[in-house]
Amino acid sequence: MNEITRDLQNWTFRASGETEWLPAVVPGCVHSDLYKNGKILDPYYGTNEHDLQWIDKRDWEYESVFEVPQELLNQEHINLAFDGLDTYADVRLNGEVVLSADNMFRTWNVPVKNRLKSGENRLHITFRSPINEDLPKLAELGYALPAANDQSELGGLGDKRVSVFARKAPYHYGWDWGPRFVTSGIWRAIRLEAWTGLRITDLFIRQHEVTKDRAKLTATVAVESDREFEGRLRIAAEGLSFERTEQIRLGENVLRFEIEIDEPKLWWSRGLGEAHLYDFTAEILEGESACAKKNVKTGLRSVKLKREKDGAGASFYIELNGVPVFAKGANHIPNDNFETDVTRERYRYEIVSAAEANMNMLRVWGGGIYEEDAFYELCDEYGIMVWQDFMFACSMYPGDEAFLESVRHEAEDNVRRLRNHPSIVLWCGNNEIDSAWAHYHPDGGWGWKKAYNEEQRNRIWADYEAIFHRLLPAAVSKLSPGAEYWPSSPLVSLTGDENQHAHPGTSEGDIHYWGVWHNSEPFENYNKYIGRFMSEYGFQSFPEHKSVLQYAPEDALRLDSEIMLAHQKNGRGNFLIKEYMDKYLPEPKDFVSFLYMSQVLQAEAMQSAIEAHRRSKPYCMGTLYWQMNDSWPVASWSGIDYYGRWKALHYYANRSFRDLSVSIDGTDGEELNFHVLNDTLNAESVTLHLRLLSFDGTTIQESELPVQAEANSAAKVYSLKSAELLGEASPERTVLAAELVQGGRVVDRRTHYFVSTKAIELSKPTIRATRTDDGEGRTTIVLETDVLAKQVWLSAEAEGAFTDNYFDLLPGEQITVEFRVRREDGTLAHGAAGAVETRSMADFIK
């Protein structure tokens, strides 16, 4: 086998027109390179973002001078492979133009055998300003297209929003949680690929039918050959081998080999079984020698998006290996505004954190990027299903021939790259565009249509349909037959009338519910607006004090400071947090306390939503909150801040997403309904243990109820009248603890209060924390209290997470937590916490 690859290194860069060349990191971007060379200040600190908007108005040049080994030059075929150029790029090799690129999400392969030479070669790339490139397109169109999150004013462009014209990560132009950094650069690898004879360029394991008894597959093998011959194709996996004779033709070949595996090991999402992965190998043999070889890893599973009419509307859920799966998770955005700063360790930490929080799905949102291979590989490994958006969000897009052709290539490149990943269970055309435009509803949507006449509206909608109703589903069908496609999120169905567009009361399709937050509706409405699949909803909080100090000095710690407003991208978001806090929580004593209380507020809101959705199973079969992570340090909807520190929300998610759990619904204030939720595939015998206590630990009453939790179910198992339960007890100083006990062990617990947190009468607890550090450096803490300690927060000197946090500690009980350190490989492992501080809500309120 003669196939050689070599990544190009030793890069330099400069602004066009300047003479000084500076060292560059590839993959990377101009903003990162300027910062590493000391030419700009930290883009994420303070208000530095505002001072760096000049960068996207310049052209930038990157250059690599390299020598090609003779062994590589001797090969018959040599290509330059570009995995990602951001975005408008003119590429010259030894002074000759070999490529003009115009789509960040595409890959490019250029034959260069006759353009390389012995000795020194020079690859030069000019990145044209995406702003200057696209302003003329806006002028030519004659009217602006909606682009709700394009922060053109911050970029010095006034109302000229040009993001929709570039096939480039939409969030680069700003979002309501992210900064505006319109990057340029080589964001994925560039390499030389050389070969002689033949090579396998792609291996796709198509899954026709997969059951526990048999997997019917087709191995599709793409081969390039510079000669014709009779060879043998061998497909091997886990000790199994399939072989047949093939006639290899000159040029490109596509070989399809149908195979069957008896009693396959299935790939399951987290909580349902092993996420088993097969290593498949394809080889072309001539005689006994392998001429070419390629490996892929995939999991065998059947996936269906079930949308079936029922008495309430129509279902919407993922069926995995014949099992209806309740999706539990969050929406994922890029982990950094400078994507190439995201290491495999950071990806692993995110996916490990998702699995630790009992999630089984992440939605890769359409305003970011088609993620790196590492992201999907880790989702495969940890059993995290992926809802994969194409990269279109909250905007209307042009539909000229050149734009559509670019999108077609983009879609095909990315479906081809990602189609072997078992974790990807759904492709989705875009984020929120169908409901935002609401073409068939005269007064619906976000008001965009009012800016256009009828002819313009019809043209804009026709362009939309060309992309999301024809082009993208065709790409999925062509390259990943059988994969599920959903045109837009949220959506009811493609009815072609006003019933197509989703709203909070929809009983089909998926829903984004933002009445809480954007419309200032009360948390109680999470129990009112429940759809078949809740693919977005959220509430904001600040990062913790330690994180805030990494982007702001102490004297900027107030809601209305310039820096706090610069790191709050959702308009009056800081003050909206305060308005909700004034309604639901006691008043914090200072700004640092406000940070803590904002996290409690967010977590309580998301617990209300998550558990309302889970209680409604099987009517509702999915709950994905907005959002998992952050792309920079900011007040946002995330459950994990930019630095990887778990907020209260992520600890709450761990509890609310438990596969076997108890939930209390006391929405109406009069009746308490107890639900047992079981997402496992086994019936579980448990005991519901109820204790009514005063805040000083006195037991007022206690009872037990045996419960049989059926497999994959949610059921109301018990009800009580609040007034009858309380009797003469003070509602302001009484708590109900509901524990789910199995085999003598508490597997889940919820506490219920009879008045809002704002109205309860908290005393200052004395928390006793008994710490043990064993010989292996593991920190364990046993916690006890004399009176109710609400929202106990343990903060550690070391980076990592506790096994539990932000919980209510009741007098007379012990809670044991362990610290898990964040290791260099991105995993969490038991380790030393360093100094630990233990506080509760009473420490933060007036």
Side-chain angles (χ1 to χ4, degrees):
M1 291 183 289
N2 291 316
E3 188 171 2
I4 303 169
T5 62
R6 179 187 174 188
D7 286 351
L8 296 192
Q9 299 175 345
N10 302 317
W11 289 90
T12 56
F13 83 108
R14 70 179 181 184
S16 294
E18 296 187 1
T19 57
E20 182 184 18
W21 288 91
L22 298 168
V25 176
V26 170
C29 75
V30 64
H31 290 73
S32 296
D33 287 330
L34 288 168
Y35 178 56
K36 289 169 184 173
N37 281 278
K39 298 298 183 180
I40 61 173
L41 298 174
D42 180 355
Y44 292 165
Y45 191 81
T47 59
N48 291 343
E49 173 202 3
H50 301 172
D51 300 325
L52 301 179
Q53 297 304 310
W54 60 271
I55 296 172
D56 61 42
K57 316 301 187 299
R58 301 289 301 272
D59 295 346
W60 298 90
E61 300 173 29
Y62 279 73
E63 188 169 272
S64 174
V65 178
F66 60 96
E67 294 190 359
V68 183
Q70 192 61 44
E71 180 188 16
L72 192 150
L73 278 175
N74 290 341
Q75 302 300 312
E76 290 295 322
H77 308 272
I78 307 175
N79 289 348
L80 260 176
F82 301 85
D83 289 344
L85 297 172
D86 176 19
T87 290
Y88 297 109
D90 297 317
V91 183
R92 290 176 172 81
L93 177 61
N94 295 326
E96 185 178 354
V97 175
V98 295
L99 173 67
S100 287
D102 61 358
N103 187 322
M104 173 181 177
F105 302 124
R106 286 194 58 186
T107 59
W108 316 82
N109 285 277
V110 182
V112 293
K113 167 74 174 177
N114 298 326
R115 294 182 172 95
L116 291 171
K117 58 186 180 181
S118 299
E120 188 176 275
N121 291 267
R122 188 178 301 271
L123 186 66
H124 184 279
I125 306 176
T126 299
F127 290 96
R128 306 190 304 277
S129 159
I131 304 305
N132 296 335
E133 185 76 14
D134 288 334
L135 280 170
K137 298 176 187 175
L138 174 60
E140 182 180 356
L141 184 62
Y143 52 83
L145 290 169
N149 286 282
D150 185 327
Q151 297 173 21
S152 56
E153 292 85 357
L154 177 59
L157 302 176
D159 62 358
K160 296 178 180 178
R161 295 176 172 83
V162 296
S163 56
V164 297
F165 298 101
R167 288 314 300 145
K168 175 176 173 58
Y171 83 112
H172 285 175
Y173 297 82
W175 217 264
D176 58 2
W177 39 258
R180 184 186 185 278
F181 290 121
V182 185
T183 56
S184 292
I186 305 166
W187 80 291
R188 285 180 173 159
I190 298 177
R191 64 187 172 278
L192 288 167
E193 298 179 344
W195 57 282
T196 296
L198 81 161
R199 66 171 181 167
I200 298 174
T201 57
D202 189 54
L203 172 58
F204 170 45
I205 306 300
R206 180 179 174 184
Q207 304 183 32
H208 299 279
E209 182 182 342
V210 177
T211 68
K212 63 181 178 61
D213 299 316
R214 183 173 291 107
K216 295 181 179 181
L217 315 171
T218 296
T220 303
V221 186
V223 178
E224 289 184 2
S225 177
D226 57 15
R227 61 192 178 93
E228 294 188 358
F229 69 99
E230 182 177 273
R232 300 195 316 281
L233 171 62
R234 177 187 293 162
I235 306 294
E238 293 198 4
L240 301 172
S241 184
F242 309 86
E243 192 171 310
R244 75 178 187 192
T245 301
E246 293 281 0
Q247 296 296 323
I248 307 299
R249 303 186 311 275
L250 178 67
E252 295 183 356
N253 300 256
V254 177
L255 312 178
R256 294 180 175 87
F257 194 173
E258 294 183 1
I259 61 177
E260 291 189 5
I261 296 177
D262 292 331
E263 298 181 351
K265 299 175 183 177
L266 301 181
W267 185 91
W268 289 98
S269 59
R270 189 220 56 79
L272 296 182
E274 179 190 2
H276 185 81
L277 297 172
Y278 281 82
D279 284 301
F280 282 88
T281 301
E283 291 180 296
I284 303 292
L285 298 100
E286 188 172 20
E288 296 303 314
S289 299
C291 307
K293 181 177 181 180
K294 192 166 186 67
N295 302 296
V296 298
K297 185 174 286 190
T298 192
L300 302 183
R301 84 288 186 269
S302 68
V303 168
K304 296 177 182 177
L305 174 62
K306 301 294 282 188
R307 297 172 55 237
E308 298 173 341
K309 290 290 184 180
D310 56 27
S315 63
F316 189 104
Y317 64 88
I318 296 298
E319 181 187 86
L320 178 65
N321 300 324
V323 173
V325 180
F326 190 100
K328 300 178 292 192
N331 287 263
H332 160 92
I333 65 171
N335 277 300
D336 211 293
N337 266 74
F338 309 128
E339 299 95 343
T340 54
D341 288 349
V342 183
T343 61
R344 189 178 184 90
E345 173 273 329
R346 284 176 67 179
Y347 279 122
R348 184 178 291 276
Y349 180 71
E350 180 191 3
I351 304 308
V352 165
S353 295
E356 289 285 340
N358 296 306
M359 295 182 181
N360 61 15
M361 178 178 277
L362 291 173
R363 173 180 174 231
V364 178
W365 164 78
I369 61 172
Y370 304 95
E371 276 293 358
E372 297 290 333
D373 292 341
F375 175 88
Y376 303 100
E377 290 164 2
L378 291 163
C379 288
D380 295 344
E381 178 183 344
Y382 284 89
I384 303 297
M385 296 182 293
V386 174
W387 169 317
Q388 177 67 52
D389 281 4
F390 286 93
M391 292 303 116
F392 300 87
C394 301
S395 305
M396 302 305 288
Y397 291 87
D400 58 273
E401 185 176 343
F403 187 86
L404 294 179
E405 184 67 5
S406 181
V407 170
R408 183 181 68 80
H409 282 291
E410 166 191 328
E412 292 186 356
D413 284 354
N414 284 284
V415 173
R416 184 182 293 109
R417 175 172 69 96
L418 300 176
R419 60 187 175 177
N420 278 313
H421 290 287
S423 55
I424 298 179
V425 296
L426 181 65
W427 289 90
C428 180
N430 67 71
N431 176 73
E432 295 186 339
I433 304 178
D434 181 273
S435 58
W437 182 258
H439 187 71
Y440 300 110
H441 197 299
D443 301 315
W446 297 357
W448 290 350
K449 296 192 298 291
K450 297 176 183 178
Y452 306 94
N453 61 40
E454 184 176 1
E455 180 183 353
Q456 291 169 338
R457 290 198 299 269
N458 289 334
R459 176 184 172 184
I460 291 169
W461 182 246
D463 291 342
Y464 172 91
E465 290 186 307
I467 297 172
F468 302 108
H469 295 177
R470 295 192 292 277
L471 189 155
L472 294 181
V476 173
S477 178
K478 172 185 174 181
L479 290 166
S480 189
E484 297 286 359
Y485 175 81
W486 186 237
S488 182
S489 178
L491 179 73
V492 176
S493 183
L494 293 185
T495 60
D497 58 30
E498 65 181 47
N499 295 318
Q500 173 170 315
H501 312 303
H503 57 80
T506 298
S507 61
E508 299 184 26
D510 68 315
I511 288 178
H512 295 189
Y513 173 58
W514 284 103
V516 176
W517 185 260
H518 287 306
N519 293 346
S520 300
E521 294 176 16
F523 292 169
E524 290 76 13
N525 278 11
Y526 281 130
N527 291 276
K528 180 179 180 182
Y529 296 110
I530 300 174
R532 310 309 294 261
F533 194 109
M534 304 299 293
S535 45
E536 269 195 36
Y537 57 93
F539 195 88
Q540 278 201 4
S541 72
F542 277 78
E544 64 182 77
H545 186 211
K546 180 163 60 174
S547 294
V548 172
L549 288 179
Q550 290 184 248
Y551 65 84
E554 285 280 4
D555 62 9
L557 300 191
R558 62 182 192 278
L559 285 181
D560 60 352
S561 76
E562 186 180 12
I563 291 176
M564 288 301 108
L565 294 176
H567 288 255
Q568 166 58 268
K569 291 293 186 173
N570 186 231
R572 55 185 300 274
N574 289 354
F575 306 99
L576 195 52
I577 294 173
K578 185 179 186 304
E579 287 175 17
Y580 273 99
M581 193 179 296
D582 289 345
K583 179 175 182 178
Y584 287 105
L585 295 181
E587 184 178 358
K589 64 183 182 183
D590 52 29
F591 186 79
V592 173
S593 300
F594 183 90
L595 301 178
Y596 161 87
M597 295 292 277
S598 78
Q599 292 201 16
V600 171
L601 183 69
Q602 177 194 37
E604 292 281 340
M606 293 299 91
Q607 180 186 42
S608 297
I610 290 168
E611 296 192 15
H613 303 157
R614 290 193 68 193
R615 290 193 299 266
S616 298
K617 178 181 177 178
Y619 176 85
C620 178
M621 286 295 289
T623 179
L624 308 177
Y625 64 76
W626 185 272
Q627 65 206 61
M628 179 71 177
N629 56 322
D630 276 327
S631 70
W632 78 315
V634 64
S636 80
W637 296 271
S638 71
I640 302 176
D641 76 20
Y642 173 73
Y643 303 105
R645 295 168 186 139
W646 289 14
K647 295 182 180 179
L649 166 54
H650 203 74
Y651 287 103
Y652 268 62
N654 167 279
R655 297 192 286 265
S656 290
F657 284 150
R658 282 175 182 156
D659 295 331
L660 183 61
S661 62
V662 61
S663 178
I664 307 172
D665 179 14
T667 308
D668 65 4
E670 295 182 2
E671 189 169 67
L672 297 179
N673 295 308
F674 299 85
H675 298 249
V676 173
L677 316 172
N678 181 13
D679 287 339
T680 75
L681 302 185
N682 302 308
E684 303 287 352
S685 296
V686 294
T687 299
L688 179 61
H689 182 204
L690 303 178
R691 286 187 298 149
L692 189 69
L693 305 100
S694 63
F695 287 0
D696 65 5
T698 302
T699 299
I700 300 170
Q701 59 174 284
E702 193 169 5
S703 62
E704 288 188 348
L705 176 73
V707 175
Q708 182 73 8
E710 298 302 323
N712 207 8
S713 70
K716 183 171 68 174
V717 299
Y718 191 50
S719 295
L720 285 170
K721 295 292 185 182
S722 295
E724 294 177 7
L725 178 64
L726 268 174
E728 299 300 318
S730 167
E732 292 80 14
R733 295 193 55 80
T734 304
V735 58
L736 175 68
E739 296 176 335
L740 213 56
V741 181
Q742 187 177 50
R745 185 174 68 90
V746 176
V747 296
D748 196 30
R749 187 185 77 169
R750 293 291 180 275
T751 51
H752 174 79
Y753 297 86
F754 297 88
V755 294
S756 72
T757 304
K758 184 180 181 69
I760 63 175
E761 297 177 1
L762 285 178
S763 301
K764 183 70 178 291
T766 300
I767 300 175
R768 180 183 175 190
T770 305
R771 174 174 175 160
T772 303
D773 291 279
D774 66 15
E776 298 180 7
R778 297 184 297 189
T779 299
T780 302
I781 301 173
V782 179
L783 296 150
E784 300 171 276
T785 184
D786 58 341
V787 296
L788 170 70
K790 189 156 181 56
Q791 298 288 346
V792 174
W793 176 37
L794 296 96
S795 54
E797 178 184 11
E799 295 295 337
F802 288 93
T803 51
D804 201 3
N805 213 341
Y806 291 94
F807 51 81
D808 291 353
L809 181 63
L810 305 179
E813 71 175 4
Q814 291 184 342
I815 290 183
T816 300
V817 297
E818 298 178 350
F819 183 75
R820 290 169 300 173
V821 68
R822 179 177 176 176
R823 295 167 52 174
E824 289 186 2
D825 65 358
T827 58
L828 287 166
H830 295 293
V836 175
E837 189 172 6
T838 304
R839 288 164 285 182
S840 72
M841 183 178 287
D843 296 305
F844 295 99
I845 60 178
K846 289 187 175 180

